[in-house]
């Protein structure tokens, strides 16, 4: 049986390589526990100065939580087990964000959902030209989670809300613009960087590679004009009227999303969490409601199981009261 993570110690560097390749390193309780156990060990190891988290998969860093398994638990009525998958994911994100030593994430390929949580809350975040990041949860009846709203809330203007509502993927340069990455590095020199990190301080190796990127002012103004709206319906109406090519693409994506998820996600972005732990608790509250809605099972069917990309969403009008109920639950990030 393949190990869930490959552990290496080279010089002053600890390397955790995600190795659940058949699931694109989808996070389950076992993977979460193995990562935390090793990080706990290295926390007090004076020889380890920094940690790298990367992947053995040639096309993926981490595709997030194990959604197939969540859906299976929900169908079987095993509600607590389904929620636990998200809980373990969120606790891992929180642990990584609070880790006292530098953690360098190398997002070299697909990075979604909980994978964004692991990669983008590390202290030093690398993306390569092969990186594809996304929080497409609105396409399966959920909402962007794993603390991602902490980052989207700080993205320029209304660009974060745009990404949350459309579930669009974004690549290396836009990851930096949105605040999800610090360094753009060619995949061809990753091994060279690792060799240097075995002997040198992280900032000495990566400092000169840090890049500041930003949207062109005209594009950001266009985004703000459409997404600075009083509700989701107004955003959709403005997208329909727009002749801008990117707005037409946004419209295609947003019309594929679960209507209820769009309403909840709009409210999530506007709430602006005070910190990551608050954001993760809010995510847990919301997810514990949404996975019990029929839209979740239908979204997983259409996107993950049958892959027909034709979900039959519940089109019942959504009341503000129903949206607000999602923000309260009895589940706690930590007991």
């Amino acid at each position: 049986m393949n190990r869930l993570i490959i552990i290496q110690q080279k010089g002053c560097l600890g390397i955790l390589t995600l190795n659940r390749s058949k699931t694109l390193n989808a996070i389950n309780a076992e993977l979460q526990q193995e990562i935390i156990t090793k990080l706990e060990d290295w926390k007090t190891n004076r020889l380890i100065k920094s940690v790298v988290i990367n992947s053995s998969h040639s096309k993926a860093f981490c595709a997030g939580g194990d959604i197939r398994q969540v859906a299976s638990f929900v169908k079987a009525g095993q509600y607590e087990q389904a929620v636990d998958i998200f809980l373990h994911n969120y606790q891992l994100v929180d642990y990584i964000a609070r880790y006292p030593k530098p953690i360098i994430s190398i997002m070299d390929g697909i990075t979604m959902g909980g994978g964004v949580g692991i990669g983008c809350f590390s202290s030093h975040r690398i993306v390569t030209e092969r990186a594809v990041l996304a929080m497409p949860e609105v396409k399966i009846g959920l909402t962007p989670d794993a603390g991602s709203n902490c980052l989207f809330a700080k993205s320029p203007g209304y660009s974060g809300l745009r990404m949350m509502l459309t579930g669009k993927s974004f690549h290396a340069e836009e990851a930096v613009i949105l605040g999800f990455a610090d360094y753009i590095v060619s995949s061809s020199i990753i091994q060279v960087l690792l060799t240097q990190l075995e002997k040198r301080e992280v900032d000495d190796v990566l400092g000169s590679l840090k890049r500041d990127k930003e949207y062109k002012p005209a594009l950001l103004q266009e985004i703000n004009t459409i997404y600075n709206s009083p509700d989701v319906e107004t955003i959709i109406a403005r997208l329909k009227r727009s002749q801008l090519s990117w707005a037409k693409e946004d419209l295609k994506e947003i019309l594929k999303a679960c209507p209820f998820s769009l309403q909840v996600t709009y409210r999530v972005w506007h709430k602006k969490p005070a910190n990551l732990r608050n954001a993760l608790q809010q995510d847990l509250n919301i997810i514990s409601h949404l996975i019990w809605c029929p839209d979740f099972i239908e979204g997983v069917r259409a996107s993950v199981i049958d892959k027909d990309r034709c979900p039959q969403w519940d089109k019942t009008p959504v009341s503000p009261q129903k949206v607000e109920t999602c923000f309260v639950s009895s589940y706690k990030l930590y007991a």
Side-chain angles (χ1 to χ4, degrees), residues 217-229:
L219 173 58
L220 186 58
Q221 182 56 50
E222 292 169 357
I223 292 170
N224 292 346
T225 298
I226 289 177
Y227 283 90
N228 181 9
S229 298

Side-chain angles (χ1 to χ4, degrees), residues 181-196:
D182 307 300
Y183 314 93
I184 301 175
V185 174
S186 170
S187 59
S188 65
I189 68 165
I190 291 297
Q191 193 55 52
V192 174
L193 285 182
L194 292 178
T195 300
Q196 292 179 353

Side-chain angles (χ1 to χ4, degrees), residues 97-297:
R98 294 171 180 272
Y99 199 66
K101 295 181 179 181
I103 294 183
I104 306 104
S105 59
I106 301 178
M107 293 174 275
D108 182 26
I110 296 168
T111 305
M112 297 193 299
V116 167
I118 293 174
C120 300
F121 287 104
S122 297
S123 60
H124 296 71
R125 307 166 300 174
I126 294 174
V127 285
T128 74
E129 78 284 357
R130 301 189 296 200
V132 181
L133 285 72
M135 295 300 294
E137 285 76 8
V138 291
K139 307 286 180 60
I140 57 170
L142 299 180
T143 189
D145 64 335
S148 61
N149 189 38
C150 265
L151 301 174
F152 281 128
K154 297 174 184 176
S155 298
Y158 285 77
S159 60
L161 177 60
R162 176 197 180 203
M163 289 298 179
M164 291 176 75
L165 292 177
T166 60
K168 291 170 70 75
S169 60
F170 49 100
H171 299 267
E173 184 167 323
E174 197 163 16
V176 173
I177 292 171
L178 290 166
F180 282 67
D182 307 300
Y183 314 93
I184 301 175
V185 174
S186 170
S187 59
S188 65
I189 68 165
I190 291 297
Q191 193 55 52
V192 174
L193 285 182
L194 292 178
T195 300
Q196 292 179 353
L197 287 167
E198 293 174 19
K199 307 167 187 175
R200 299 168 56 195
E201 294 289 334
V202 174
D203 290 333
D204 290 343
V205 176
L206 298 180
S208 64
L209 300 174
K210 193 157 188 175
R211 296 289 181 267
D212 291 323
K213 303 282 185 179
E214 60 184 28
Y215 284 118
K216 292 180 179 178
L219 173 58
L220 186 58
Q221 182 56 50
E222 292 169 357
I223 292 170
N224 292 346
T225 298
I226 289 177
Y227 283 90
N228 181 9
S229 298
D231 49 47
V232 173
E233 291 76 14
T234 303
I235 291 172
I236 293 174
R238 289 176 177 176
L239 288 171
K240 286 180 177 178
R241 290 195 300 268
S242 178
Q243 297 302 308
L244 296 165
S245 58
W246 67 260
K248 292 179 180 180
E249 290 301 315
D250 279 16
L251 180 62
K252 290 179 184 177
E253 297 303 321
I254 210 168
L255 292 178
K256 296 175 186 176
C258 170
F260 186 49
S261 291
L262 291 176
Q263 298 293 338
V264 172
T265 300
Y266 178 89
R267 188 76 183 101
V268 166
W269 187 84
H270 283 86
K271 276 185 174 286
K272 308 289 186 190
N275 53 54
L276 175 59
R277 188 165 282 189
N278 285 358
L280 291 168
Q281 179 61 59
Q282 179 175 276
D283 289 342
L284 186 60
N285 294 344
I286 294 169
I287 291 297
S288 69
H289 287 275
L290 294 184
I291 62 172
W292 212 236
C293 295
D295 278 337
F296 170 62
I297 295 299

Side-chain angles (χ1 to χ4, degrees), residues 57-73:
H57 197 290
S58 61
K59 295 182 180 179
F61 172 68
C62 176
D66 196 331
I67 291 299
R68 280 180 177 269
Q69 191 174 44
V70 173
S72 177
F73 282 141

Side-chain angles (χ1 to χ4, degrees), residues 68-79 81-83 85 292:
R68 280 180 177 269
Q69 191 174 44
V70 173
S72 177
F73 282 141
V74 171
K75 287 179 181 178
Q78 296 174 300
Y79 189 58
Q81 290 91 327
V83 174
I85 290 178
W292 212 236

